[in-house]
Amino acid sequence: MKDLFEKIYRDKGPLGKWAAQAEGYFVFPKLEGEISNRMKFQGKEVITWSINDYLGLANHPEVRKVDAEAAAKYGSAYPMGARMMSGHTELHEQLQNELAEFVNKEAAYLLNFGYQGMVSTIDALVSKDDIIVYDVDAHACIIDGVRLHMGKRFTYKHNDVESLEKNLERATKMAEQTGGGILVISEGVFGMRGEQGRLKEIVELKKKFNFRLFVDDAHGFGTLGATGAGAGEEQGVQDDIDVYFATFAKSMASTGAFIAGDKEIIDYLKYNLRSQMFAKSLQMQLVVGALKRLDMLRTMPELKQNLWTIVNALQSGLKERGFDIGTTQSCVTPVYLKGSIPEAMALVKDLRENHGIFCSIVVYPVIPKGLILLRMIPTATHTLQDVKETLDAFDAIRERLENGTYKRMSAALTAAMGE
């Protein structure tokens, strides 16, 4: 019999094998200072494009004041216990009611964490006789939720409605045999590519197939739609989303999440979400802080306007200079370049050390081999000067990538890793 840990000693995984070269710099980096457009990295000021603070609320003085007052009043423990037993308050209910109204749903329910809540919601919505059909590029939290499903599941090609339709035909035949139903899962905005899920076309398929639609709108909530209610509002199909999910970790610059839908559905989930039934209630200072943030989303449209001024300047500037930003339809701004993992490391180090630009680097296995994805998250706190400096820096790194500078710089690392 093998030692359980033998596989760990033998294979660190596609990313883990680079830990000695990457940790503390390329992965698990330590940004310092107040969350803002410019922070410190290893003692140097950098323009930060990797913070999901879309609307600039993380260090907004009004938000900081409310957070501090709530922490002083309630501490970090209250309420103690799970909500079903002892952790339920009027402020939790108030926040749920206001969130439901904001996203145009009958009811909403708070979740302690987005990832945990997504996994548990999927688990609660389906039984072994049901079939799940989901986008192949779905976020890890969706994939992990689907893994809990004891029944059949099918993936459809990313944002490919024809592929979805074929898989719905398969799912329909199977559901007729099992006596179950069908759950379709998409994201409102896909966090790596920035593409909106094709919600309008998915909803149109309801005329042909009997299914329910669950949408993860983590990146759309607060950034898309006339009021900021997300991708469903942007595409005019919010009413047709059966279960709507969003997190506080992006536009709300906090911790927590929520689901929303018809009252009867939310009431069912409230009594069947294991991650909430058997976990401590969302802390009161987070609830109070979320109420303040939601009020600002409603009453300060300039926050979203400022965000999109930066988004449009950055994305149009990149396209004008010939960069490939894919087909993003959101604030998420990907820049695709061709190169190896060692070249990506050399490129990012140059970008940070010599140009003062900090953005997230994404490589295989998240994206195909031979590609480098530099993922940027514009925020309302960025300036047009930040955009200009970043565009100039990207021109410089592209030239060095194309002329082989990074390949030469990374040769020793490549040889050491046996690549």
Side-chain angles (χ1 to χ4, degrees), residues 31-318:
L31 283 167
E32 299 175 346
E34 289 194 349
I35 295 171
S36 186
N37 60 318
R38 293 181 184 243
M39 298 174 71
K40 289 283 185 71
F41 179 65
Q42 296 196 342
K44 296 180 180 180
E45 183 181 81
V46 291
I47 301 173
T48 50
W49 296 101
S50 63
I51 304 298
N52 291 325
D53 182 26
Y54 283 121
L55 301 179
L57 296 182
N59 273 301
H60 194 287
E62 291 183 41
V63 167
R64 291 287 293 267
K65 182 175 182 291
V66 169
D67 284 352
E69 290 173 349
K73 181 176 181 179
Y74 296 105
S76 61
Y78 187 78
M80 283 299 293
R83 286 185 70 183
M84 289 188 78
M85 300 300 178
S86 58
H88 188 67
T89 75
E90 290 184 358
L91 287 177
H92 285 75
E93 290 184 344
Q94 179 184 339
L95 178 56
Q96 289 172 171
N97 292 337
E98 292 188 18
L99 286 165
E101 183 178 4
F102 185 72
V103 298
N104 195 35
K105 295 296 179 186
E106 284 185 356
Y109 192 66
L110 292 179
L111 308 168
N112 292 354
F113 296 98
Y115 200 112
Q116 172 201 52
M118 173 59 70
V119 169
S120 193
T121 301
I122 294 172
D123 180 51
L125 283 172
V126 293
S127 69
K128 64 179 179 62
D129 294 328
D130 300 320
I131 293 88
I132 298 176
V133 183
Y134 66 105
D135 192 293
V136 71
D137 276 6
H139 189 271
C141 65
I142 296 173
I143 293 171
D144 284 352
V146 171
R147 283 175 174 171
L148 290 178
H149 180 42
M150 301 294 289
K152 285 287 186 178
R153 79 287 300 265
F154 301 113
T155 58
Y156 62 93
K157 295 177 184 177
H158 174 60
N159 257 355
D160 187 324
V161 177
E162 183 179 343
S163 175
L164 171 59
E165 185 167 2
K166 288 179 181 178
N167 279 283
L168 280 171
E169 288 172 355
R170 297 169 66 195
T172 298
K173 290 178 182 177
M174 187 158 290
E176 287 171 351
Q177 295 173 1
T178 65
I182 301 172
L183 177 67
V184 172
I185 308 176
S186 176
E187 296 189 43
V189 172
F190 290 85
M192 285 296 158
R193 301 171 187 253
E195 297 165 339
Q196 291 183 41
R198 298 180 66 178
L199 306 182
K200 190 170 185 178
E201 290 94 332
I202 294 172
V203 164
E204 189 67 20
L205 289 175
K206 284 189 171 186
K207 295 177 180 177
K208 186 174 180 181
F209 300 96
N210 182 17
F211 65 87
R212 294 294 186 171
L213 177 59
F214 183 19
V215 173
D216 173 354
D217 205 24
H219 289 274
F221 177 75
T223 68
L224 293 175
T227 70
E233 182 181 53
E234 179 81 10
Q235 298 182 36
V237 293
Q238 185 74 355
D239 291 347
D240 298 292
I241 296 173
D242 296 294
V243 181
Y244 177 90
F245 165 94
T247 175
F248 300 158
K250 308 295 192 292
S251 290
M252 298 269 272
S254 186
T255 299
F258 72 96
I259 47 174
D262 291 348
K263 186 177 184 304
E264 190 168 356
I265 305 306
I266 298 304
D267 282 346
Y268 170 83
L269 291 171
K270 181 167 66 174
Y271 282 89
N272 290 278
L273 284 171
R274 293 174 63 82
S275 67
Q276 305 308 122
M277 294 167 62
F278 302 106
K280 185 180 181 299
S281 179
L282 191 65
Q283 297 167 345
M284 188 64 84
Q285 80 264 32
L286 296 175
V287 174
V288 173
L291 282 165
K292 175 61 179 177
R293 289 162 169 81
L294 182 59
D295 182 62
M296 293 173 75
L297 262 65
R298 284 193 302 247
T299 61
M300 298 175 67
E302 64 270 21
L303 295 172
K304 186 158 74 75
Q305 291 167 6
N306 292 341
L307 165 65
W308 277 95
T309 295
I310 300 301
V311 172
N312 291 330
L314 179 64
Q315 293 185 356
S316 63
L318 287 165

Side-chain angles (χ1 to χ4, degrees), residues 61 90 100 111 222 325 341 360 395:
E90 290 184 358
L111 308 168
I325 65 169
I341 292 178
S360 298
D395 277 339

Side-chain angles (χ1 to χ4, degrees), residues 316-358:
S316 63
L318 287 165
K319 286 190 284 189
E320 287 166 7
R321 296 182 186 220
F323 285 96
D324 179 6
I325 65 169
T327 54
T328 180
Q329 304 155 313
S330 68
C331 303
V332 178
T333 305
V335 177
Y336 296 95
L337 300 166
K338 292 182 180 180
S340 64
I341 292 178
E343 284 179 293
M345 290 179 173
L347 179 153
V348 169
K349 189 166 186 178
D350 187 20
L351 200 57
R352 294 177 184 177
E353 298 299 326
N354 300 316
H355 298 281
I357 308 296
F358 189 102

